[in-house]
Amino acid sequence: MQIGDKTVEVHAFRKRNQREAESTDFTNLYIKNFGKEMTEEKLKEMFVPLGEVTSSCIMEDKFGRKFAFVNYEKPADAKKAVDELSGKDLRTDEQKEAQKEGDDADSYLFYVGRAMTKAERAKEFRQKAPSGREVGVNLYVKNLDEDTTDATLKE
């Protein structure tokens, strides 16, 4: 349909959860789980061979954990970086040997993924977490006979 000099499309309304999933065209990456010795230069050495990097920065949160953002020129390069670098173990042999017994090995793996807004992360978390109705509910029942057991209640 044409309104003035603009082309307009009209579609049936769809609820937010019925709309298409997240866009696969992303250029900005979020990186975490790398050592304290990581610098801007080392970060660029890792990511530049996979495509043209327009910007990158390393930041630190209030707990002293480092994280970084890398922005690519093309979405295909960003996807390639996620596929090739995510899940690698960047620790030295000494650091691997110093790992404590109870530590989760996945917490040391290099994470490279699409940088998301706070709202997108919350939506993803809600989808992964069980909804409130599926989780068990505590129910208080009073005035039961003294000979009532768990088995008879479950029946």
Side-chain angles (χ1 to χ4, degrees):
M1 173 190 303
Q2 202 69 17
I3 297 179
D5 60 344
K6 303 219 182 214
T7 303
V8 178
E9 292 185 30
V10 178
H11 297 280
F13 176 77
R14 290 187 298 180
K15 292 181 181 178
R16 182 173 289 151
N17 59 359
Q18 294 173 341
R19 296 179 196 161
E20 295 171 9
E22 69 183 58
S23 172
T24 56
D25 292 340
F26 58 91
T27 57
N28 199 17
L29 300 178
Y30 170 71
I31 297 106
K32 67 177 184 176
N33 295 345
F34 51 84
K36 303 274 186 208
E37 67 280 347
M38 181 67 76
T39 63
E40 283 275 346
E41 292 78 30
K42 288 181 182 179
L43 188 71
K44 285 185 179 181
E45 285 175 19
M46 291 178 69
F47 286 92
V48 167
L50 301 172
E52 184 180 342
V53 174
T54 59
S55 65
S56 65
C57 69
I58 295 179
M59 303 170 113
E60 191 171 315
D61 67 3
K62 62 183 177 185
F63 302 110
R65 299 176 295 197
K66 284 189 170 186
F67 61 95
F69 291 97
V70 173
N71 193 25
Y72 278 99
E73 181 74 30
K74 300 175 189 168
D77 296 337
K79 178 82 170 110
K80 183 179 176 184
V82 169
D83 293 340
E84 290 189 20
L85 295 176
S86 189
K88 284 192 171 184
D89 194 348
L90 301 178
R91 297 177 296 160
T92 63
D93 291 333
E94 294 84 28
Q95 291 171 331
K96 289 177 186 176
E97 290 172 8
Q99 177 181 338
K100 298 174 187 164
E101 280 294 316
D103 284 356
D104 182 19
D106 290 344
S107 66
Y108 294 104
L109 297 179
F110 194 54
Y111 175 85
V112 180
R114 183 174 81 90
M116 296 185 277
T117 63
K118 188 173 184 178
E120 289 173 322
R121 289 192 310 271
K123 180 181 175 185
E124 185 176 294
F125 179 74
R126 281 193 306 272
Q127 288 174 346
K128 288 182 180 178
S131 68
R133 293 185 180 138
E134 295 173 6
V135 177
V137 176
N138 292 333
L139 178 64
Y140 179 73
V141 181
K142 62 182 185 175
N143 297 332
L144 294 174
D145 291 334
E146 290 181 16
D147 58 339
T148 305
T149 63
D150 286 342
T152 56
L153 277 177
K154 288 180 182 178
E155 291 173 1

